[in-house]
Amino acid sequence: MVWARTGCPYCGVGCGLLARVEEGRVTKVKGDADHPSSRGEVCMKAVCLPPTVVNQGRATRALLRTHRAASFQPVALDLAIAHAARELRRIVETHGPDAIAFYGSGQLGTEDYYALTKLVKGFLGTDNLDTNSRLCMASAAAGYKSAFGADAPPGCYDDIDQADVFLLIGANVADCHPILFRRIAKRSAADERVRVIVVDPRRTETCDLAHSHLPIRPGTDVALLNAMLRLAIVEGHTDKEFIAARTEGFEAARLAVEPWTPEAAAELCGIPAKAIEGAARVFSRSRRAMVLWSMGVNQSAHGTAKNQAIMNLCLATGNVGRPGSGPLSLTGQPNAMGGREVGGLTGLLPGHRHVSSAADRAFIAERWGVPVARIPSRAGKTATEIFAGLEDGNVRAVWILATNPAASLPNVEAARRALRRAELVVVQDAFFPTDSASLAHVVLPAAGWAEKDCAMTNSERFVTLSRKLVAAPGDALPDWQLLARLAHELGFGEHFAWQSAAEVFDEFRRLSAGTSADLSGITHARLAAGPLQWPCPSETSPGEARRYQERFATPNGRARFAAVQPRPPAEPATREFPLVLTSGRLKSHWHTRSRTRWSKNLEGRAPEPVLEMNPHDAQRVGVVDGGFAEAQSRRGETITQVRVTPEIAQGTVFLPFHWTRQDGFLKPAHNLTHGAIDPISKQPELKHCAVRVRALPTPEDLVPADARSASPERGAP
Ligand code: SF4
């Protein structure tokens, strides 16, 4: 029996998989014991991959319609690409290159991302290229750059095996990164001195490991982190030697945290002062302490400040660069990091270079064989800005790759309105139909997981080769090939004449040499033998597990503290909208379920969205456990069943975001959310919006009382 080595297409843990292929189909998936990130472990989403690699729900033919009222016509792939290219050219010639935009995804392979970056930034002359990583990791990237001078975590998963203290903040690791959860659990079980602190408004399964659970009021993380730093300073638990030798800006940070006594933070965060003191002491007294966080921190209009506060705490206590320590953000998507390595985000060029640098532009232009003037010098529009641009007419075309913004952007009604106004919407995806495809003019079928070779980088900088194991259905092609065909139609074909994914990767990795994201020693041939971790500056390099041992990536080599203060959320609760909605993931689903919906096992575990509500809040509005309720924000409504549970803090409600308008107009959580963004990272505040909830009558209530009391026999004709 042959098992092929590959990688998982879901979350940023980046587990290694073994897939069995029989008669051209993937029939079974299990963990790869040789993969350093997962060591044979695998979660149920990956085990349930086989039924998702089918023709059901797949985009298999190019589809075209000339106006939205018309239905789609299946057409030859080249004809659809030629039509889209003509429309792009028309819009660029009439309105300039910034009238077009591209919106991608952390699901794309590194080769796909690179082809996209090269085409958009090198040949189409716009920097309007952003991805759904903006919704996921942008604040973590901004935090890393601010503190360490480069966008990447300093440590690795091996640190988990050596840490004594875990501060898990804004991360439901049990559901969203289950293999790392198991690794933390293992470490905790192995040593009774290990302490786990969980900061989350919900008591999730992650709290099963917690020695201390701080049910924080949403959005107040900076106050908590500042109070923890203040106590470390006051009680003399900072690492003075490290601060003096390796950092700058400590004094400003010290002054900034000065007002944040445990009592002051307790009042804002809704956590007892004693619990804050306890957490601060446990963390600051340890020299092997880690902070792990995810969307609960990043998806905020102040996400960058929250990340900087995390870095401050780690730097002040010397918990950076040492085994068992450090900040480690948990990436949502499988290749969000890979996308940033190649420049697949607004403002970036390959190798973490930036469009604002004349030297970077000149270098890349020379390598790409284009005039330097063609590479944009100003950062383009980010995710929500692209859709605002579509709505106000500054952007007229959007090309969407491997994602579903009509269901996943905040305030989906606004996103859908924007797509309806666009002159050209192209959706290039492995799945069809989706909410976004239903608003497209052109649909291009893309190859999915197990149907193409591609590299993906996980949360600890390990690059894994995901393998082509089966044929893609119908006319579907890898995204980089679809983009190369588009380039050909636009007249740039000679620059995109790669023959394989390995060739695309080869071109990119050479550009990364000497940068803060140096993957120049990584090739597909090496990856075929197993994953490699970057920095990896030569073809004999084994990669580097821990960064910044000698110096940080800032100009003077010192890490930077930041003076940060908590700020109110963009949309606080009011008398009219008294509850705070926080949205998130479930263990059994992924994104907008375009893949996981095809697994009966996964779908059966959570077939419908359920609103979680605290008993006090439920009682106040007359909602009962298992009953139905309408949640309403200033932008829209949802109707769902309710789970009344003390596991969520009073004043907060939770709704998973996996359901779309295709599933029912009133099911998407993003009917409610808003588009306020962090001023630095431009990441939207998906974790905090003001809502009100009202009980809805149950079907039983709608039956007249006399009819309800009648027995079926008596009532029968
Ligand atoms: Fe895939 Fe994430 Fe599960 Fe690992 S933890 S198997 S990467 S979904």
Side-chain angles (χ1 to χ4, degrees), residues 429-552:
D429 200 350
F431 301 99
F432 181 87
T434 64
D435 284 22
S436 301
S438 71
L439 296 168
H441 300 95
V442 182
V443 174
L444 300 178
W449 177 79
E451 295 163 359
K452 64 178 181 180
D453 287 332
C454 69
M456 296 211 172
T457 306
N458 73 2
S459 292
E460 62 165 345
R461 294 175 273 103
F462 259 111
V463 184
T464 297
L465 195 56
S466 185
R467 302 310 305 251
K468 176 171 179 169
L469 307 174
V470 296
D475 294 339
L477 288 176
D479 289 276
W480 69 263
Q481 286 188 26
L482 292 170
L483 292 162
R485 288 193 185 202
L486 172 63
H488 180 79
E489 281 298 329
L490 290 165
F492 315 126
E494 64 184 289
H495 300 275
F496 295 81
W498 307 295
Q499 296 302 307
S500 66
E503 277 187 25
V504 186
F505 191 89
D506 204 54
E507 183 175 314
F508 153 63
R509 59 120 185 172
R510 290 174 196 282
L511 292 180
S512 75
T515 68
S516 63
D518 191 338
L519 286 82
S520 58
I522 300 178
T523 62
H524 269 221
R526 286 189 79 192
L527 290 175
L532 286 161
Q533 201 167 20
W534 66 263
C536 184
S538 76
E539 288 183 44
T540 53
S541 165
E544 198 178 296
R546 290 186 192 83
R547 308 190 72 194
Y548 316 132
Q549 300 294 306
E550 308 282 318
R551 55 179 283 123
F552 290 95

Side-chain angles (χ1 to χ4, degrees), residues 157-211:
Y157 299 167
D158 280 354
D159 289 322
I160 292 171
D161 308 330
Q162 300 171 57
D164 292 334
V165 174
F166 297 93
L167 175 62
L168 309 179
I169 178 166
N172 180 4
V173 191
D175 281 3
C176 303
H177 301 92
I179 301 312
L180 292 186
F181 180 71
R182 284 183 213 165
R183 200 149 164 178
I184 296 166
K186 208 165 164 186
R187 170 65 190 145
S188 183
D191 189 336
E192 62 183 19
R193 291 168 303 172
V194 169
R195 286 291 171 269
V196 180
I197 304 159
V198 175
V199 181
D200 195 321
R202 300 166 66 215
R203 196 210 170 283
T204 64
E205 196 183 320
T206 302
C207 295
D208 291 355
L209 285 185
H211 298 88

Side-chain angles (χ1 to χ4, degrees), residues 8-15 17 38 41-46 176-180:
C8 180
Y10 287 118
C11 82
V13 176
C15 296
L17 305 181
S38 50
E41 296 272 355
V42 71
C43 81
M44 67 178 172
K45 276 205 289 283
C176 303
H177 301 92
I179 301 312
L180 292 186

